[in-house]
Amino acid sequence: VEFVSAQITDSLASRIHHEGFRLNTSAFAVGSKQDADYVANAASSSPSARIVLDGYQFGASYQKTIKAIGHVTLILDDYGHASHYHADFVLNQNLSASEVIYRHRDDCTQLLLGTQYAMLRREFTENDTSRGESREGICNVLVTLGGSDPENVTSQIVVALARIETPRFAFRILIGGSNRNLDQ
């Protein structure tokens, strides 16, 4: 696995290295034609490469450039931001994921929609309750909005949760390493 990134936080770069993966940094603007060409060139040296795009900057033309090199491509998406989808797969793990928001896509694009495709780090999957353990009495609630939360929705959630007057629930809010509002 090799990560190619034009913008990356120190905490994410550290995590990538800690996990034993390579990190290749691009000097081009994220989502630009030059960035797409850079990624395509990096992937072309490996005929069996699979490409995963994660970011709102990867619109239709970027996907088309990447797809043109012939590798299987998956794009992670939250809300149907691109005008058209050229990737082989679109993964939207949210409850609100719907085929309707991906109506502008290539015929071969497969949709992976809903929570059954939730991507969870091993820290969250190690405590598997599928072995028949009871879920009664669970009162810990984890709130996370991904790595960056560009709209600062976390602050709104903190305010809303502060209004809840019940000793039954313990809320833990996980803030990603790319969140610009960490101090707030």
Side-chain angles (χ1 to χ4, degrees):
V1 173
E2 179 176 350
F3 285 79
V4 178
S5 181
Q7 294 176 338
I8 192 163
T9 63
D10 291 341
S11 62
L12 184 53
S14 176
R15 175 80 188 236
I16 289 169
H17 289 298
H18 176 75
E19 295 291 337
F21 301 125
R22 291 184 303 174
L23 175 60
N24 181 345
T25 54
S26 160
F28 302 108
V30 178
S32 68
K33 173 71 170 127
Q34 295 89 350
D35 182 43
D37 291 339
Y38 182 85
V39 171
N41 186 48
S44 65
S45 63
S46 176
S48 61
R50 305 293 187 254
I51 299 171
V52 177
L53 302 173
D54 183 8
Y56 302 123
Q57 306 88 341
F58 304 125
S61 61
Y62 192 101
Q63 292 176 49
K64 193 170 190 173
T65 298
I66 298 298
K67 183 70 176 137
I69 63 173
H71 294 312
V72 173
T73 306
L74 174 137
I75 186 163
L76 305 176
D77 189 76
D78 290 331
Y79 64 94
H81 72 276
S83 60
H84 191 92
Y85 287 84
H86 298 283
D88 295 289
F89 300 93
V90 176
L91 190 155
N92 181 334
Q93 63 187 345
N94 295 306
L95 283 171
S96 60
S98 166
E99 189 173 340
V100 172
I101 61 177
Y102 301 108
R103 64 185 171 273
H104 301 292
R105 66 181 188 272
D106 289 354
D107 290 338
C108 65
T109 300
Q110 295 181 44
L111 302 177
L112 309 172
L113 306 176
T115 58
Q116 67 267 32
Y117 297 103
M119 298 176 295
L120 298 174
R121 295 190 323 251
R122 70 178 157 272
E123 294 93 331
F124 297 102
T125 59
E126 288 173 347
N127 295 322
D128 185 9
T129 58
S130 65
R131 296 180 299 254
E133 298 171 9
S134 172
R135 290 180 172 248
E136 285 185 40
I138 292 178
C139 56
N140 296 313
V141 178
L142 174 67
V143 178
T144 181
L145 291 151
S148 63
D149 186 16
E151 302 297 321
N152 198 21
V153 176
T154 304
S155 291
Q156 298 170 39
I157 291 173
V158 168
V159 169
L161 293 177
R163 294 182 186 140
I164 297 175
E165 296 180 20
T166 177
R168 183 168 180 237
F169 294 102
F171 297 101
R172 181 166 300 233
I173 300 173
L174 183 64
I175 299 173
S178 299
N179 190 315
R180 295 176 298 197
N181 302 295
L182 185 60
D183 294 336
Q184 183 182 350

